Amino acid sequence: QVSLVESGGGSVQAGGSLRLSCAVYGYTYRGYCMGWFRQAPGNEREGVASIYTNTGSTSYADSVKGRFTISQDSAQRTLYLEINSLKPEDAAMYYCAAAPFYPTCTVAAGTARLFTYWGQGTQVTVSS
């Protein structure tokens, strides 16, 4: 059974940092596009970063470039999202997701439908 389990969220002051983790269970991990998405109350789900597991190639939403870093430990089947210089607008539920057969591997608008497996999310709160 496929399962993605996020952790690492919390309440942080603006300007602070967090590292989110996503442990993957139940499938091979390799050959998938892995993405991080976020959704704040009243907002649409937004893709923030992606990594193609076979190559390590990454992509980011413009809103997070330079502050967010996606990485992976393939041996541990774990995905990470390092978030620096947190802003109040970064507050959201953060989800990791996996997409098979998607080597292009971006999280641009409209790509969420390509991600088959989703975690339950981890909450990030930012205080100013």
Side-chain angles (χ1 to χ4, degrees):
Q1 182 175 348
V2 175
S3 177
L4 281 66
V5 181
E6 302 97 334
S7 61
S11 181
V12 183
Q13 283 194 323
S17 299
L18 278 175
R19 189 173 82 154
L20 307 183
S21 300
C22 173
V24 174
Y25 304 95
Y27 69 93
T28 61
Y29 185 79
R30 299 275 293 176
Y32 280 68
C33 171
M34 300 296 298
W36 284 100
F37 294 78
R38 66 185 181 186
Q39 188 168 20
N43 290 359
E44 293 188 355
R45 181 171 47 191
E46 173 191 20
V48 296
S50 60
I51 186 167
Y52 187 53
T53 56
N54 282 11
T55 63
S57 177
T58 61
S59 69
Y60 296 91
D62 288 343
S63 60
V64 306
K65 279 181 181 176
R67 299 190 299 118
F68 287 26
T69 303
I70 188 171
S71 62
Q72 62 179 355
D73 183 335
S74 296
Q76 296 298 320
R77 295 150 64 93
T78 302
L79 181 72
Y80 301 101
L81 184 69
E82 187 83 28
I83 307 175
N84 296 311
S85 302
L86 272 158
K87 303 177 180 180
E89 54 263 40
D90 293 322
M93 186 72 81
Y94 282 72
Y95 301 90
C96 69
F101 315 118
Y102 185 33
T104 305
C105 197
T106 73
V107 287
T111 60
R113 61 183 175 82
L114 300 175
F115 288 79
T116 305
Y117 305 113
W118 291 81
Q120 294 299 305
T122 187
Q123 182 70 45
V124 173
T125 304
V126 183
S127 56
S128 55

